């Protein structure tokens, strides 16, 4: 049964990888619109919630760099830090959701509350990981751009991405709850 469950998680992750490769085309490859909605984040968040931390983390590491290699978007300046940010999303949602679901259900809270809390924590922590990764990659010369001051960090990782975070907090739970209701989520 365990092998069958892992195979199912691999299939779901593969579908989400394909979705992650295609979804940014809906933003018309416009960098500013893509940054606003952060379409690569959606499949990783769904994967962490449905397939667990390992699959979510792996998808987060692979997706930005694979998309950069195939389509030259996002550019290296964004893709390399984003792989750490998205990995944190996948790992944290995969760890937090089942844990919070158990804890909060004892208090009578719904799955949705546990999911929203997991997403919010993962998005804040993932953005911090992305900022740290950007700083380290700048310091080592792997990427080059304007220096990442605290103001630029807050602007790039929190203010500019707020619309995308709101979209994620609406779309991702709707998709995951639908998968769970249809018994298509391995974590249901």
């Amino acid at each position: 049964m365990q092998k069958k469950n892992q195979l199912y998680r691999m299939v779901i992750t593969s579908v989400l990888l394909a979705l992650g490769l295609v979804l940014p085309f809906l933003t018309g490859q416009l960098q500013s619109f893509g940054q606003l909605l952060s379409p690569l984040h959606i499949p990783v968040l769904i994967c962490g919630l449905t397939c667990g931390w390992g699959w979510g983390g792996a998808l987060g590491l692979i997706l930005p760099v694979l998309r950069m290699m195939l389509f030259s978007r996002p550019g290296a300046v964004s893709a390399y830090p984003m792989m750490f940010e998205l990995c944190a999303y996948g790992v944290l949602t995969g760890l937090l959701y089942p844990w919070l679901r158990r804890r909060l259900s004892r208090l009578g809270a719904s799955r949705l509350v546990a999911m929203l809390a997991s997403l919010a924590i993962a998005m804040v922590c993932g953005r911090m990981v992305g900022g740290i990764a950007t700083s380290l990659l700048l310091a080592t010369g792997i990427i080059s751009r304007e220096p990442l001051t605290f103001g630029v960090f807050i602007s790039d990782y929190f203010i500019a991405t707020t619309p995308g975070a709101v979209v994620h907090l609406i779309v991702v739970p709707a998709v995951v709850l639908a998968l769970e209701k249809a018994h298509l989520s391995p974590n249901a």
Side-chain angles (χ1 to χ4, degrees):
M1 189 64 170
Q2 180 68 13
K3 284 184 181 182
K4 188 176 183 180
N5 196 13
Q6 288 302 321
L7 178 63
Y8 189 68
R9 290 171 196 265
M10 183 177 11
V11 169
I12 295 287
T13 303
S14 299
V15 169
L16 290 168
L17 174 65
L19 179 66
L21 292 173
V22 175
L23 196 56
F25 286 117
L26 297 178
T27 64
Q29 292 292 81
L30 299 173
Q31 185 176 355
S32 59
F33 190 61
Q35 182 183 5
L36 183 72
L37 291 181
S38 305
L40 289 181
H41 299 194
I42 294 170
V44 175
L45 293 167
I46 292 170
C47 189
L49 292 168
T50 59
C51 297
W53 70 271
W55 292 102
L59 181 61
L61 277 176
I62 294 167
L63 182 57
V65 174
L66 182 59
R67 191 157 201 299
M68 178 188 71
M69 290 172 17
L70 292 173
F71 304 114
S72 301
R73 292 264 183 221
V77 171
S78 298
Y80 293 138
M82 190 185 301
M83 64 188 261
F84 295 103
E85 177 183 357
L86 296 185
C87 180
Y89 286 174
V91 169
L92 289 171
T93 55
L95 291 173
L96 289 170
Y97 180 49
W99 184 78
L100 285 173
R101 207 166 111 185
R102 284 189 304 275
R103 299 296 184 272
L104 294 176
S105 70
R106 293 179 191 157
L107 302 172
S110 68
R111 287 180 173 183
L112 179 60
V113 171
M115 195 177 308
L116 289 171
S118 301
L119 286 168
I121 293 167
M123 286 193 279
V124 169
C125 292
R127 282 168 169 73
M128 289 192 285
V129 167
I132 292 167
T134 299
S135 295
L136 292 173
L137 291 168
L138 282 168
T140 58
I142 294 173
I143 61 171
S144 64
R145 57 169 265 184
E146 75 275 356
L148 189 66
T149 64
F150 184 72
V152 171
F153 166 69
I154 294 297
S155 176
D156 286 0
Y157 281 91
F158 289 96
I159 296 170
T161 60
T162 298
V166 171
V167 169
H168 300 158
L169 289 171
I170 295 168
V171 170
V172 172
V175 170
V176 173
L177 289 173
L179 289 171
E180 288 179 354
K181 187 174 183 176
H183 303 288
L184 294 173
S185 172
N187 284 345

